[in-house]
Amino acid sequence: NKIDIFRKKIKRVPITVCPALKDYRGNQKDYEESLQCIKEKFLEVAIKRDRNCANRIKLVTLCSFDSNAVKDAFESLRKSI
């Protein structure tokens, strides 16, 4: 929901300030790399809880102000259920 803020803030504050991401060694100011790291960490934690969840989780990045993107994301989700 706050991806637009994250895009700006990552240039000033590295994701390594988060204890769960302290081992990140990628480009500290790169939006795409940092976002990918967060997605991978999320999946890692989810899979530790439920090994079969990986094929049920779909990670989508969008800005809530973009109503077309939100509509497309929900439509995609609806079709996958």
Side-chain angles (χ1 to χ4, degrees), residues 50-64:
D50 177 0
R51 288 184 180 180
N52 299 316
C53 75
N55 59 350
R56 296 188 318 255
I57 294 176
K58 179 172 176 138
L59 300 174
V60 177
T61 306
L62 52 91
C63 178
S64 63

Side-chain angles (χ1 to χ4, degrees), residues 9-42:
K9 191 167 186 175
I10 196 64
K11 294 176 182 176
R12 294 181 289 114
V13 181
I15 62 173
T16 53
V17 298
C18 173
L21 302 170
K22 69 182 186 308
D23 296 331
Y24 175 64
R25 298 291 175 246
N27 183 341
Q28 296 287 321
K29 295 183 179 189
D30 185 87
Y31 166 78
E32 294 294 335
E33 283 186 39
S34 297
L35 186 60
Q36 186 61 36
C37 174
I38 293 168
K39 289 178 177 183
E40 289 170 6
K41 181 57 98 172
F42 178 86

Side-chain angles (χ1 to χ4, degrees), residues 63-74:
C63 178
S64 63
F65 295 119
D66 184 348
S67 58
N68 287 330
V70 172
K71 186 188 296 183
D72 290 345
F74 275 107

Side-chain angles (χ1 to χ4, degrees), residues 3-14:
I3 203 67
D4 52 327
I5 295 170
F6 176 73
R7 187 182 297 273
K8 292 176 186 175
K9 191 167 186 175
I10 196 64
K11 294 176 182 176
R12 294 181 289 114
V13 181

